[in-house]
C-alpha cells in the first residue's frame, strides 16, 4: 500500500472555523504532493467511527483539523495505534497548540508540519469516574470554573462571550466553598474546603488562562492547583493575576505535582478539554509519552 496521510476534520470546530481551516490545509498539502485520504466527522461519535476506519488503512500520519476536544475525543485509538499526529488548530481555545508552540492562526503553516515537523512525545491525562476512563490533553477543572462552564452550556441566551459572562455572574452569586476531599498519589484523603481544584497536563485552558502555570506536557507529572475558600470580591481580585499567570505566589493558592489525584465533593462537576466528563468523585492520572505530535523544529535544528 502506498504511503498516505489521513486527514480527519471537524468542520463545526471553532463555530465553523474548522471548515475554512480544512480547505486551506488540504489545498496546501495537495500542492505539496501529499497523498491524502479525507474523513469529515460531524460529531464526536462519527469522528470515533471515522478515525477507526482511517487507522485500518495504515496511514503514515494523521492530520486533525479541529479543537482540543476533537483530538481528545479520539485519543484512545490514536494512542493505541502509535501514529504521529499533526494538529491544525481550529477550535475556540486551542490550548494544546499554545502549549506546544504550534501555529494557531495559520492553517497552512500548521499543515506544513506534516512535512517538516519533528516528533514530540507528550503525556495524556485521564479521568476515571463511574466506571469510565476519559483521556484529556490540557486541564481538568473541578469547582467554581467547572460550574461556570456547566452553567454556560445550559444557558440558551445570550450568545457568544456574553453567555459566559452571564454564567460567571450567576455562579459568583451562588459562590460557596466546596468541601473537597483530596488524596494525592495514594496518600490518606484530606478534607480541603476550597473554591476550585485544577489538574493540569498543560498550563492553560479556556483559550489561554494559565491556571496551571509551569505545567509541562512531557514531564510525566500532573500539576495540581488548589484555591482556598474565597469571598466574591477576593475571587474577582484573583482573576487578573490568573490571566497573567502570577497567581501561584498568592497564599490562597497552592500547587504540587503528582502522578495521580483523587477528588470528591458534594456537587462536584469535572470538565476537561471543554467537555463535562464526571461528577461527584474522580481519580485523575497520567499516561506518560502516550501521544506523538509533530511540532516545529527548534531554531537551528533540521527536521
Amino acid at each position: 500500500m502506498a504511503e498516505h496521510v489521513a486527514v480527519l476534520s471537524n468542520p463545526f470546530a471553532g463555530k465553523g472555523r474548522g471548515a475554512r481551516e480544512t480547505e486551506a490545509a488540504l489545498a496546501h498539502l495537495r500542492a505539496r504532493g501529499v497523498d491524502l485520504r479525507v474523513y469529515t466527522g460531524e460529531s464526536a461519535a462519527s469522528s470515533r467511527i471515522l478515525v477507526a476506519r482511517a487507522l485500518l488503512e495504515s496511514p503514515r500520519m494523521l492530520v486533525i483539523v479541529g479543537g482540543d476536544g476533537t483530538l481528545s475525543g479520539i485519543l484512545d485509538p490514536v494512542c493505541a495505534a502509535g501514529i504521529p499526529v499533526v494538529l491544525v488548530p481550529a477550535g475556540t481555545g486551542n490550548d494544546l497548540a499554545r502549549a506546544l508552540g504550534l501555529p494557531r492562526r495559520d492553517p497552512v503553516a500548521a499543515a506544513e508540519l506534516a512535512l517538516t515537523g519533528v516528533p514530540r512525545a507528550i503525556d495524556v491525562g485521564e479521568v476515571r469516574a463511574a466506571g469510565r476512563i476519559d483521556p484529556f490533553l490540557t486541564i481538568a477543572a473541578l469547582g467554581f470554573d467547572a460550574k461556570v462552564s456547566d452553567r454556560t452550556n445550559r444557558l440558551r441566551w445570550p450568545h457568544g462571550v456574553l453567555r459566559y459572562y452571564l454564567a460567571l455572574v450567576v455562579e459568583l452569586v451562588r459562590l460557596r466553598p466546596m468541601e473537597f476531599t483530596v488524596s494525592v498519589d495514594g496518600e490518606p484523603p484530606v478534607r480541603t474546603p476550597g473554591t476550585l481544584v485544577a489538574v493540569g497536563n498543560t498550563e492553560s485552558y479556556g483559550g489561554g488562562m494559565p491556571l496551571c502555570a509551569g505545567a509541562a506536557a512531557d514531564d510525566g507529572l500532573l500539576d495540581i492547583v488548589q484555591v482556598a475558600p474565597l469571598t466574591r470580591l477576593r475571587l474577582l481580585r484573583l482573576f487578573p493575576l490568573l490571566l497573567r499567570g502570577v497567581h501561584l505566589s498568592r497564599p490562597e493558592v497552592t500547587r504540587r505535582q503528582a502522578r495521580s489525584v483523587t477528588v470528591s465533593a458534594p456537587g462536584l462537576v469535572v470538565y476537561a478539554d471543554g467537555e463535562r466528563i464526571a461528577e461527584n468523585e474522580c481519580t485523575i492520572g497520567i499516561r506518560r509519552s502516550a501521544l506523538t505530535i509533530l511540532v516545529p523544529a527548534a531554531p537551528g535544528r533540521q527536521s
Side-chain angles (χ1 to χ4, degrees):
M1 181 181 297
E3 285 195 336
H4 70 279
V5 170
V7 180
L8 177 67
S9 112
N10 177 3
F12 300 107
K15 300 177 182 177
R17 178 183 170 193
R20 299 189 300 273
E21 308 292 72
T22 298
E23 290 181 9
L26 293 179
H28 177 71
L29 291 173
R30 285 173 175 142
R32 295 277 271 140
V34 179
D35 180 13
L36 301 177
R37 298 184 190 178
V38 182
Y39 305 82
T40 302
E42 298 182 353
S43 67
S46 66
S47 291
R48 286 191 290 270
I49 294 170
L50 290 172
V51 79
R53 185 183 304 168
L55 293 174
L56 285 175
E57 299 295 325
S58 300
R60 61 184 176 90
M61 71 179 63
L62 176 64
V63 176
I64 297 174
V65 186
D68 295 336
T70 304
L71 177 53
S72 64
I74 57 171
L75 275 174
D76 283 334
V78 171
C79 291
I83 186 172
V85 167
V86 174
L87 179 61
V88 179
T92 54
N94 298 319
D95 288 284
L96 181 65
R98 181 178 282 102
L100 301 180
L102 305 180
R104 288 182 286 120
R105 298 178 180 86
D106 187 344
V108 170
E112 175 66 17
L113 294 175
L115 298 163
T116 62
V118 296
R120 179 177 174 183
I122 67 169
D123 306 327
V124 170
E126 63 176 25
V127 178
R128 295 174 177 260
R132 290 181 46 181
I133 303 175
D134 291 285
F136 70 96
L137 293 160
T138 58
I139 292 177
L142 308 86
F144 176 78
D145 47 350
K147 288 186 175 183
V148 172
S149 295
D150 205 43
R151 178 74 58 180
T152 302
N153 289 343
R154 286 187 282 130
L155 289 173
R156 293 294 173 260
W157 179 92
H159 299 292
V161 71
L162 290 178
R163 185 168 59 174
Y164 175 83
Y165 290 143
L166 177 58
L168 180 63
V169 169
V170 171
E171 291 304 324
L172 272 174
V173 171
R174 297 167 57 90
L175 179 66
R176 300 289 187 278
M178 295 193 67
E179 296 298 323
F180 293 112
T181 299
V182 179
S183 172
V184 176
D185 282 342
E187 296 175 358
V190 177
R191 293 190 65 183
T192 311
T195 300
L196 63 85
V197 176
V199 183
N201 183 44
T202 63
E203 287 191 324
S204 72
Y205 67 165
M209 291 190 290
L211 185 55
C212 295
D218 56 4
D219 62 358
L221 295 169
L222 297 164
D223 279 49
I224 304 165
V225 175
Q226 295 178 247
V227 178
L230 298 176
T231 64
R232 298 179 185 88
L233 182 58
R234 289 181 67 194
L235 181 57
L236 286 172
R237 287 175 175 171
L238 184 65
F239 263 95
L241 303 180
L242 189 159
L243 293 173
R244 300 200 306 272
V246 296
H247 57 291
L248 297 181
S249 62
R250 298 292 303 170
E252 61 265 37
V253 181
T254 59
R255 170 186 177 266
R256 66 183 296 185
Q257 292 183 307
R259 289 182 172 83
S260 71
V261 57
T262 298
V263 183
S264 63
L268 181 71
V269 176
V270 184
Y271 267 73
D273 293 343
E275 302 293 331
R276 177 173 176 153
I277 57 176
E279 55 188 30
N280 299 325
E281 181 176 4
C282 68
T283 295
I284 303 174
I286 194 83
R287 306 176 191 171
R288 184 157 197 175
S289 301
L291 178 68
T292 298
I293 291 194
L294 298 183
V295 302
R301 177 177 176 179
Q302 298 298 315
S303 60

